Amino acid sequence: MNSIKSTALEPTRSELSGLSFGQKAARYLPVYGLPILTLLLILLFSLLLPRTFPTLLNLRSIISDKAIIALLSLAAMIPMASGRIDLTVGYGIVLWHILAISLQTAFGIPWPIAVLIVILLGVLTGFINGLLVEVARIDSFIATLGTGTVLYALAMWYTGGRQVVGVLPDGFLSLNGTMLFGLPITGYYVVILALVMWLVLEYMPIGRYLYAIGANPKAAALNGIPVQKFVMGAFVASGALTALGGVLLASKLRIGQASVGLEYLLPALVGAFLGSTTIKPGRVNVWGTIIGVVILAAGISGIQQFGGSFWVEPLFNGVTLLVAIGIAGYAQRRRGAVVPPPSITHQPTKTNDNA
């Protein structure tokens, strides 16, 4: 059972042919509306808060704070491309950042090996999610919710509600704390990952296969695409990126606690859902996801600088998620309404001369 349906809604050349400039602009509005809104929002806050918002310090703060969310959003969009959803991006990061620290402080494992162990455990979790969804045939929402809850319970059991602290090596701390060309290095991680994912999803067969599975898994299977293999691979990739996010969170916080990490789930899903409403409306895509995270970061930063309370961020995320889902649903209904029905050619009726 699919939890997400992936269907591209960007206008085609045949749809645009014969339209006036205004009609073409209206047709392109759902495609580039969110990037335009993002630029307008940044411009608005820059004019209203000229001393604090358009500054290098605020840019560094946004990148440092939202890079992990962007990473998790990219992780979540991989299963979404195949029509599934992965909730362990929010639950798993809780356990992974705790393990990344405790493996070094409690067990004395060198930080590169500790990082590798955490990523491999993330891969294993993704593989289990794939088995539950593709072999056990459990809906991906239910399967990953159950897996994520187990991971969260393990984190609470291991910590006993206490913080995991200890002296961490400088090499591990530099994974998140390094500044490159005046900006946090985590921002460069996101850009590199986005470029790689964009190339894979848009220009390689694996990306086309995932989108085909998301649009119609039965048709994809009939065309020889190994649906089970690629869906399980999508969950494995998502698990690996989630574990990487946990490593970066551990390097940033320098302590592990079970109460930290779960708040990343909603923003990560919001970013991925927003990404399906722009650039390629109706289909999750890399740059749309990045735009979704940017508009969340800019909106929350501006509102907080205006003196918004602590509850503003979850409220903003929740409302934006509902709006994103609403826009995506409207775009799909509108596309279905404008698709012309197939033409029917009437053949002349033959008469029987011998009658």
Side-chain angles (χ1 to χ4, degrees), residues 2-354:
N2 291 341
S3 300
I4 303 292
K5 186 175 182 180
S6 175
T7 308
L9 299 176
E10 62 269 22
T12 62
R13 291 183 178 180
S14 60
E15 292 174 349
L16 296 175
S17 60
L19 298 181
S20 64
F21 176 80
Q23 291 173 326
K24 290 181 180 179
R27 191 66 182 89
Y28 270 115
L29 185 60
V31 180
Y32 299 108
L34 191 63
I36 295 173
L37 179 60
T38 302
L39 293 176
L40 293 176
L41 189 64
I42 293 174
L43 179 61
L44 175 64
F45 284 129
S46 298
L47 294 175
L48 296 177
L49 302 165
R51 296 184 178 181
T52 57
F53 191 84
T55 62
L56 182 60
L57 180 62
N58 188 44
L59 179 60
R60 290 173 179 171
S61 176
I62 290 176
I63 294 176
S64 177
D65 189 40
K66 303 302 180 183
I68 295 177
I69 292 178
L71 183 65
L72 295 180
S73 293
L74 292 173
M77 67 153 286
I78 300 176
M80 284 185 183
S82 66
R84 277 69 173 177
I85 192 168
D86 186 3
L87 297 182
T88 56
V89 297
Y91 291 95
I93 195 174
V94 180
L95 180 60
W96 305 143
H97 92 277
I98 292 173
L99 284 181
I101 294 176
S102 63
L103 287 175
Q104 300 175 68
T105 58
F107 299 96
I109 298 177
W111 74 264
I113 299 178
V115 170
L116 180 60
I117 292 174
V118 171
I119 293 178
L120 289 177
L121 289 174
V123 168
L124 177 61
T125 301
F127 181 73
I128 293 174
N129 284 335
L131 289 177
L132 292 174
V133 173
E134 289 301 307
V135 178
R137 312 303 298 174
I138 303 175
D139 180 74
S140 59
F141 184 93
I142 302 300
T144 57
L145 178 62
T147 306
T149 305
V150 171
L151 294 178
Y152 184 59
L154 289 174
M156 295 179 65
W157 165 78
Y158 179 78
T159 61
R162 297 182 296 271
Q163 293 181 343
V164 178
V165 296
V167 179
L168 296 170
D170 294 335
F172 180 75
L173 297 178
S174 64
L175 292 176
N176 186 90
T178 303
M179 301 293 289
L180 188 62
F181 302 112
L183 297 175
I185 194 172
T186 49
Y188 296 97
Y189 296 157
V190 173
V191 171
I192 293 173
L193 176 63
L195 285 171
V196 172
M197 288 182 57
W198 173 64
L199 291 173
V200 171
L201 290 175
E202 296 295 333
Y203 296 101
M204 295 184 67
I206 183 175
R208 294 191 289 269
Y209 292 162
L210 285 176
Y211 282 133
I213 293 169
N216 193 325
K218 292 183 178 179
L222 291 175
N223 281 276
I225 299 176
V227 174
Q228 186 178 96
K229 172 184 174 182
F230 281 100
V231 171
M232 293 183 66
F235 278 109
V236 167
S238 178
L241 292 181
T242 301
L244 178 60
V247 169
L248 295 178
L249 181 62
S251 177
K252 176 183 178 181
L253 298 179
R254 306 186 180 191
I255 60 172
Q257 49 187 345
S259 61
V260 174
L262 197 57
E263 69 272 12
Y264 288 103
L265 175 59
L266 182 59
L269 293 180
V270 171
F273 274 114
L274 277 176
S276 68
T277 66
T278 187
I279 308 299
K280 293 182 180 293
R283 187 175 78 182
V284 291
N285 61 93
V286 172
W287 301 122
T289 299
I290 296 297
I291 292 295
V293 175
V294 169
I295 195 172
L296 287 176
I300 292 172
S301 176
I303 293 174
Q304 288 178 340
Q305 290 181 35
F306 269 117
S309 301
F310 65 92
W311 47 265
V312 169
E313 182 169 355
L315 176 65
F316 187 85
N317 289 333
V319 171
T320 307
L321 176 61
L322 294 176
V323 172
I325 295 176
I327 293 175
Y330 173 77
Q332 288 182 343
R333 292 192 299 271
R334 183 177 177 85
R335 175 61 179 267
V338 300
V339 172
S343 59
I344 300 176
T345 303
H346 295 280
Q347 300 292 337
T349 304
K350 295 182 179 180
T351 59
N352 189 351
D353 296 335
N354 298 325

